[in-house]
Every structure is written in structure tokens, then in C-alpha cells.
């Protein structure tokens, strides 16, 4: 698994469809996750964003999903993911989760999640 595939696998592991933020299909149905894809080499830590999207009158479900992701990452302070050329470490960034509303549709709920990714690889 390469670095981009590892990011996709991570975001897909929460029971929702996950899409690179630049490739969400027109027919995508909420809830889903969109995420940034960026990679680097040893010694560089990247701040990456993802968004959980839902359409609802309540923040309850989407907030629980953000809490699930926080708990999954935070259990050991970071999450280690094996990739072809080494490891990717994921930790929570600050602020970790932030609610966003949609001015055109009050039922669209979005929580932006911030992580820090460090690639411990040869390139």
C-alpha cells in the first residue's frame, strides 16, 4: 500500500464512503468523508484536513462519528499504519474537530477533522 492508498484506507475505516476531496462523484450520497491527499518524506509532519458530511436536522450522529475517529486515533496518542516503504503515523491536530454549517441548506452538517501525518519512509 502506498502513501495515498494508506490515507484512503484510514478514512474508509469508519464505516462511511471516503473520497479524496478532489474526486467526490456527483451522485455521492451523504453521509460520507472527504479528505486531503498530501504526502512527504521522513522528518516532515503534514497538517491534513478531512470533513464528515451528513444531512440531518441534528448534530448528534455526526458528532458521535467525530468522537469515534478521535478515540480511534487517541487510544495510543497516535496511530501507526504500515505502508510499502515504512510507516505513516497519524495523530490529532488542534483544533481536532470543528463544526461548519451550510448557508444554503441548514440541514447539511459538516465537521472538519484535523490530523497530523508523518511518513517514516525512505522517500
Amino acid at each position: 500500500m502506498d502513501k495515498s492508498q494508506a490515507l484512503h484506507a484510514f478514512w474508509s475505516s469508519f464505516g462511511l464512503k471516503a473520497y479524496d476531496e478532489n474526486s467526490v462523484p456527483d451522485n455521492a450520497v451523504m453521509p460520507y468523508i472527504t479528505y486531503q491527499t498530501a504526502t512527504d518524506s521522513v522528518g516532515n509532519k503534514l497538517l491534513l484536513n478531512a470533513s464528515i458530511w451528513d444531512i440531518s436536522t441534528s448534530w448528534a450522529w455526526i458528532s458521535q462519528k467525530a468522537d469515534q475517529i478521535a478515540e480511534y486515533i487517541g487510544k495510543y496518542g497516535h496511530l501507526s499504519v504500515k505502508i510499502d516503504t515504512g510507516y505513516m503515523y497519524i495523530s490529532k491536530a488542534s483544533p481536532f474537530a470543528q463544526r461548519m454549517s451550510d448557508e444554503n441548506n441548514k440541514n447539511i452538517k459538516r465537521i472538519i477533522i484535523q490530523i497530523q501525518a508523518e511518513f517514516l519512509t525512505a522517500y
Side-chain angles (χ1 to χ4, degrees), residues 13-109:
S13 68
F14 299 103
L16 298 175
K17 286 274 194 185
Y19 304 102
D20 178 291
E21 67 183 3
N22 297 308
S23 61
V24 179
D26 292 336
N27 62 348
V29 177
M30 292 183 202
Y32 57 78
I33 295 174
T34 58
Y35 62 91
Q36 288 179 308
T37 300
T39 62
D40 211 332
S41 56
V42 172
N44 297 315
K45 296 178 181 179
L46 302 175
L47 183 63
L48 299 176
N49 294 320
S51 293
I52 309 168
W53 297 86
D54 193 21
I55 190 157
S56 175
T57 58
S58 169
W59 285 95
W61 180 87
I62 196 170
S63 295
Q64 289 173 349
K65 187 58 73 172
D67 290 346
Q68 175 192 2
I69 295 169
E71 183 178 342
Y72 185 68
I73 296 170
K75 190 171 186 179
Y76 302 105
H78 71 275
L79 178 67
S80 174
V81 179
K82 176 77 173 116
I83 57 178
D84 292 338
T85 58
Y87 289 90
M88 174 178 66
Y89 286 117
I90 296 173
S91 56
K92 293 188 290 186
S94 182
F96 175 70
Q98 181 178 356
R99 290 181 178 185
M100 299 291 290
S101 59
D102 185 299
E103 63 185 49
N104 297 319
N105 184 339
K106 66 180 181 177
N107 289 331
I108 293 179
K109 309 295 189 227

